[in-house]
Amino acid sequence: MQENLRVRERLRYVGFALLWALLYDILFWDKELGINFFIFIAVYVLGFTSLLLSTGRLRVRWSLGLALAALIMAAMPFLYRNEMVTIGVPFFVFLLLFVYSAVAPLENPLRRLFYFSRVPMIRSIDLPFVEMGSVYRDLWAGGGERRLLAKRILFGVAIALPLLFIFGLLFYHADAVFAEWIREIDIEFVDLWRVFRTLAIALLLASFCYGFLKRTYELGEKTGVPRQEDAVTVS
């Protein structure tokens, strides 16, 4: 029962990741940077912060200052139009969001002195990629009639698509009427790319969230001996 509750909690973050990825496609496809960028960032800050609060994981309150700074900077492309803003501002905004998202759920039960280098998500930048398998297992693994049905449907689709492509190609060259019907279908490669990109962004963000959802997410201990300067150098 407890494990089911934890899975439901994690799936809320997966749903948020998918919605944010869809919003990216809606706001930025074939559009210039402007108010859409502020809306995009505001949705992330409000959505992610709300999830942290509702699940009791907003532990570092001062990190909200980073989110506020990201919101203020996100409004700049709407107010100013030059290359420095359109290129530099998104970089710094996403950097602030990354640090905010990595620090906000951080636990520090031993009251260690804070160092950014000891934050697990910053120390192990590959953590989101490690957790991609966990996202898949929460979505499709385990029991339940609905999950079992979804797995069977996906398995059937995975088998059917190559067969459909092969037989469709044969009919395309053999039947002129079928070939004309295929040519009238207005599906371009760029549409497939948008679908793939949306799913990739959602998976990456969900995996990032799993970095602090599926493990003990604590501030690490500062290791290493401070460098000692000799008396001559100090003098």
Side-chain angles (χ1 to χ4, degrees):
M1 183 66 179
Q2 189 67 25
E3 178 60 26
N4 289 335
L5 291 175
R6 286 196 292 265
V7 170
R8 289 180 183 178
E9 176 187 339
R10 295 195 295 265
L11 289 179
R12 291 168 64 183
Y13 286 85
V14 174
F16 168 70
L18 180 58
L19 288 175
W20 200 58
L22 288 171
L23 190 65
Y24 175 84
D25 185 76
I26 294 171
L27 291 177
F28 293 105
W29 182 254
D30 202 22
K31 297 179 180 66
E32 294 183 357
L33 208 63
I35 190 63
N36 53 351
F37 185 64
F38 176 79
I39 294 173
F40 184 63
I41 300 303
V43 168
Y44 179 85
V45 170
L46 294 176
F48 187 74
T49 305
S50 298
L51 279 174
L52 291 178
L53 288 171
S54 64
T55 56
R57 293 183 179 273
L58 183 58
R59 300 185 176 99
V60 182
R61 301 284 175 169
W62 61 259
S63 64
L64 291 171
L66 299 173
L68 180 61
L71 276 176
I72 295 173
M73 290 188 68
M76 293 181 66
F78 176 64
L79 302 174
Y80 306 99
R81 299 298 179 91
N82 56 67
E83 289 188 5
M84 183 177 178
V85 170
T86 56
I87 297 176
V89 166
F91 172 79
F92 286 106
V93 167
F94 283 114
L95 180 62
L96 285 170
L97 287 184
F98 171 77
V99 176
Y100 162 65
S101 304
V103 172
L106 186 66
E107 296 183 69
N108 190 12
L110 300 179
R111 304 288 183 179
R112 290 169 175 156
L113 186 62
F114 182 86
Y115 290 94
F116 279 107
S117 60
R118 296 292 93 196
V119 177
M121 198 71 70
I122 297 176
R123 184 179 59 203
S124 303
I125 200 68
D126 61 333
L127 195 56
F129 300 98
V130 174
E131 293 296 341
M132 284 183 177
S134 299
V135 177
Y136 169 80
R137 284 191 292 272
D138 276 353
L139 287 172
W140 308 117
E145 294 183 1
R146 292 184 179 180
R147 285 188 182 180
L148 184 60
L149 178 61
K151 286 163 58 176
R152 289 175 177 174
I153 291 174
L154 286 178
F155 183 72
V157 170
I159 295 176
L161 282 178
L163 295 175
L164 182 63
F165 176 78
I166 293 172
F167 283 103
L169 190 63
L170 293 174
F171 278 113
Y172 181 84
H173 291 288
D175 191 337
V177 177
F178 182 78
E180 182 64 27
W181 180 73
I182 289 294
R183 282 193 289 267
E184 290 178 357
I185 298 177
D186 188 20
I187 298 179
E188 299 180 0
F189 174 77
V190 69
D191 297 320
L192 299 177
W193 160 245
R194 291 173 68 181
V195 173
F196 173 79
R197 183 189 60 189
T198 299
L199 294 177
I201 293 174
L203 177 60
L204 184 61
L205 179 57
S207 302
F208 178 90
C209 295
Y210 270 53
F212 62 81
L213 288 171
K214 284 218 63 175
R215 59 183 67 224
T216 302
Y217 193 71
E218 295 182 0
L219 184 67
E221 184 179 1
K222 183 69 173 177
T223 58
V225 179
R227 182 181 175 182
Q228 298 291 333
E229 299 290 355
D230 57 63
V232 175
T233 304
V234 172
S235 299

